[in-house]
Amino acid sequence: FTGYVEDIIPNPNPNEQTCYVRAVDGSAQVLGTKKVRTDLFQDFTAVILSGDILNRLRWPIPDRALDAGQTTVPYWWEHDENALEAVHKLEEAEMGLAYIRGDGWFIFEDRHHRLKGEHLTPQTTITATMVEMRYESRLREVKNEVNIKIHPMIQGSAGTELWRLRDVPYLAPMTRSFVITGRLAPVTATAIFYTDYDDPAVAFIDPPAATTDYTFNTASDGTGTDITSQLTVAIAEDYARGPVLSVTNAGPESGYLTLLKLRGTPLTVPDTTLVSQGDSASQIERGVRSLDIDNLWLQETNPAQDYADFLVTLLKDGKAYLVIKLANTSQAMAEAILARDLSDRVKIVEGNTGVNGDYFIEQIEVKAEGGLVECEWLLSKADPLFYWLLGEVGYSELGDTTRLGY
């Protein structure tokens, strides 16, 4: 485990003299404690966009492993969103898996991750050597109706006013150094203004135009001398829902900023659309059990419909889980505990129950006390390998039982 010490609680009782140390990983200490504000991205995969979040948090590039991603997001931005929540929304849009690995790495597996490479064959076989095994069939996992709300985006007119300063600040001829959120290098200016508006923009009038976007006057009501030529206004950081404007008064006179506005091309969500899919046979047998998804990054009808169709095929009959407990009672078991990680494919064979098949590790819980190490795996059944994935060797051939992968 690699992480951060969050609590140190000593117990000075003479009979015990213990200390409790609580440590958390980067999802709690880094992603969960910080907010992100981004510019607007067009046509990037959800996985790659998570990398932008990591960059803004200065997460080390060597300590991350990102798949290419399968879902392309037409328009993406975040505005003062908790970084962990921002990752979860991308994870849902991708139908992938994002987590912090035991060694502290950030991992984002796209939805095809388990259909490739080492995940096609078991990395470990457990044959009746587990300490305990139990079977869980969860009715709540049955989802025979999937409803997805999509948010189509429409670009507005270029040059639309996005924001206007509702004040008349006094600016002396001076410069100061400002540190802007998200930037490493400081900005030198007389004043900095953080704009903020509801709809993101895909483009800005940059630089803002003198007399049209800003005016500078010796009188606060604009009746004095026009000294706009003394000012320089620039976009110091082009966040999608609120760029940062730097205003510099190069002198020699002091004056009032009688106008400051920002123009650009807005992006709006005029209406939402709902796409649905269901399985009538499962609904008759188990009743209608719905899964509703409302994700701003699902913006197109056809991909959303494919998403709904695919989820129904996966969830209409529910999911069954195995829970097995291992212990370091042999070298083989100790190696399995140390070597295996989330998403690994393992083979479980247990003669008394007739269990004999491949499973994916969905959850790992480890308890170490003295020399005994116990590890509990939550396992989901690995689907039969009959997906049809265009361009993937071994998956591009049609057969009687193949279905199109999403």
Side-chain angles (χ1 to χ4, degrees), residues 31-265:
L31 296 170
T33 61
K34 294 179 172 58
K35 293 184 177 182
V36 289
R37 178 181 290 197
T38 76
D39 44 354
L40 188 134
F41 290 78
Q42 291 183 245
D43 298 325
F44 283 83
T45 69
V47 179
I48 298 304
L49 293 172
S50 72
D52 180 76
I53 295 174
L54 298 180
N55 292 341
R56 294 174 190 276
L57 301 181
R58 300 184 178 89
W59 191 289
I61 292 178
D63 295 345
R64 60 178 87 169
L66 310 179
D67 285 345
Q70 304 300 322
T71 292
T72 298
V73 182
Y75 298 99
W76 177 83
W77 71 94
E78 287 293 0
H79 191 74
D80 295 340
E81 174 69 287
N82 176 272
L84 185 59
E85 292 302 315
V87 168
H88 283 327
K89 287 189 292 183
L90 292 170
E91 179 186 36
E92 181 182 58
E94 171 61 37
M95 205 174 78
L97 178 64
Y99 62 96
I100 307 300
R101 203 166 60 189
D103 58 6
W105 279 40
F106 177 92
I107 309 297
F108 200 139
E109 301 172 357
D110 66 24
R111 63 175 176 270
H112 289 177
H113 182 88
R114 295 183 180 183
L115 302 176
K116 302 177 181 179
E118 63 181 9
H119 300 286
L120 299 178
T121 55
Q123 286 99 62
T124 295
T125 299
I126 307 295
T127 55
T129 53
M130 67 281 293
V131 175
E132 178 186 317
M133 184 180 78
R134 66 181 186 270
Y135 177 84
E136 298 182 7
S137 181
R138 304 176 183 178
L139 180 62
R140 66 177 179 269
E141 299 282 354
V142 174
K143 302 298 179 184
N144 49 34
E145 178 184 79
V146 176
N147 306 304
I148 299 179
K149 184 180 289 186
I150 63 170
H151 302 262
M153 305 285 175
I154 295 180
Q155 292 190 20
S157 301
T160 299
E161 182 174 317
L162 305 171
W163 174 88
R164 179 185 290 255
L165 180 65
R166 304 298 177 179
D167 193 14
V168 185
Y170 177 81
L171 301 179
M174 59 175 291
T175 57
R176 292 177 288 175
S177 182
F178 296 89
V179 177
I180 298 174
T181 302
R183 287 179 63 107
L184 292 176
V187 173
T188 301
T190 303
I192 291 289
F193 295 92
Y194 280 79
T195 69
D196 201 326
Y197 42 85
D198 292 334
D199 292 325
V202 296
F204 307 104
I205 302 297
D206 187 17
T211 69
T212 299
D213 296 319
Y214 61 92
T215 56
F216 196 44
N217 199 282
T218 55
S220 61
D221 60 1
T223 60
T225 303
D226 186 333
I227 51 174
T228 302
S229 60
Q230 291 186 184
L231 283 192
T232 299
V233 178
I235 295 178
E237 191 69 36
D238 57 348
Y239 299 126
R241 275 187 49 200
V244 181
L245 297 177
S246 66
V247 179
T248 303
N249 178 10
E253 297 186 70
S254 299
Y256 294 89
L257 188 59
T258 51
L259 171 67
L260 180 63
K261 65 181 181 181
L262 179 71
R263 293 177 297 139
T265 306

Side-chain angles (χ1 to χ4, degrees), residues 292-303:
D292 298 319
I293 298 176
D294 185 358
N295 191 312
L296 188 59
W297 313 136
L298 298 174
Q299 299 166 5
E300 297 178 313
T301 302
N302 289 339

Side-chain angles (χ1 to χ4, degrees), residues 332-391:
M333 287 301 96
E335 290 175 352
I337 292 172
L338 290 172
R340 299 282 61 86
D341 213 330
L342 296 180
S343 289
D344 281 356
R345 190 185 189 104
V346 296
K347 186 178 184 66
I348 307 299
V349 180
E350 207 288 316
N352 292 326
T353 57
V355 170
N356 187 338
D358 291 359
Y359 294 81
F360 288 118
I361 300 177
E362 302 288 0
Q363 181 178 304
I364 300 173
E365 183 175 337
V366 179
K367 180 181 179 181
E369 188 172 352
L372 178 66
V373 179
E374 292 183 329
C375 178
E376 189 171 275
W377 290 345
L378 176 69
L379 304 169
S380 67
K381 195 75 170 67
D383 277 342
L385 300 177
F386 49 60
Y387 294 103
W388 187 44
L389 300 173
L390 297 177

